[in-house]
Amino acid sequence: MAKKISLREFQEHLATRLAGAARGEAEPALLGVLAGGENWLLELFDSGEIVPLPPITGVPLTQPWYAGLANIRGTLFSVSDFSAFLGHEPTPHNANARLVLVGARHGSNAALLAARLLGLKRREGLTPLPPLESGPEWARERVEDSEGRCWRKLSVKGLLADPEFMHIGL
């Protein structure tokens, strides 16, 4: 029971922080998620909402990384398995998995399936690393936290503009 209370409190805290980011308050923290065995950071204003994994309905004749459609409070979201899209193993559908609703701010009902939510990271504790020389532009930026862990920064706007990501059909 204590675990459920803690999760509820965390979700309320996160919702408060997201609301602050939406109002434009000073330098909001970044949202950390685990996908493809890597730590990823998203801008809070791009992350929209984080929801526990709902039922996902598969869509035939789509890319293997395209998970399908999820109904979130009466609105259909297009769900992409971010790990599989990156060329890694598909994300397990378990209690830790989360959907990050990333497209609403950019006019798209897109959601990324992530293996786990890692919480919020303060910008002042992050040190820029040299960007990756290869790979998509939306995933080259990297930072290191105070504990020496490497994080990749995801440009949601860049990802949603990537023709490979937007082309889900076979």
Side-chain angles (χ1 to χ4, degrees):
M1 185 68 172
K3 189 173 187 178
K4 288 183 182 179
I5 292 170
S6 295
L7 178 59
R8 182 173 48 83
E9 289 172 355
F10 174 75
Q11 288 174 332
E12 288 171 0
H13 172 71
L14 187 57
T16 302
R17 298 288 299 267
L18 288 171
R23 289 191 301 270
E25 293 176 359
E27 291 283 350
L30 299 162
L31 176 67
V33 297
L34 179 67
E38 296 178 289
N39 299 324
W40 288 86
L41 293 172
L42 293 83
E43 296 288 344
L44 277 180
F45 60 84
D46 279 336
S47 61
E49 185 179 353
I50 299 103
V51 296
L53 190 61
I56 298 174
T57 302
V59 177
L61 303 174
T62 56
Q63 299 290 340
W65 49 263
Y66 185 71
L69 297 170
N71 183 340
I72 310 294
R73 291 180 304 285
T75 301
L76 290 179
F77 281 83
S78 177
V79 179
S80 297
D81 184 331
F82 194 48
S83 176
F85 178 72
L86 295 168
H88 302 289
E89 292 293 317
T91 302
H93 291 213
N94 59 31
N96 291 326
R98 295 288 182 265
L99 282 188
V100 183
L101 310 181
V102 295
R105 183 172 190 272
H106 303 286
S108 170
N109 286 354
L112 296 178
L113 176 59
R116 217 170 73 189
L117 182 64
L118 299 175
L120 299 174
K121 290 298 243 180
R122 294 188 174 276
R123 292 174 191 274
E124 55 269 10
L126 302 173
T127 305
L129 294 172
L132 296 172
E133 294 181 15
S134 63
E137 191 67 35
W138 48 262
R140 290 187 183 169
E141 192 175 345
R142 301 179 306 150
V143 294
E144 184 177 72
D145 65 17
S146 58
E147 297 171 5
R149 289 183 299 235
C150 182
W151 295 79
R152 293 179 69 181
K153 289 183 76 177
L154 171 61
S155 166
V156 171
K157 185 176 181 181
L159 175 66
L160 294 175
D162 185 330
E164 184 179 342
F165 181 75
M166 296 306 290
H167 183 74
I168 62 168
L170 289 177

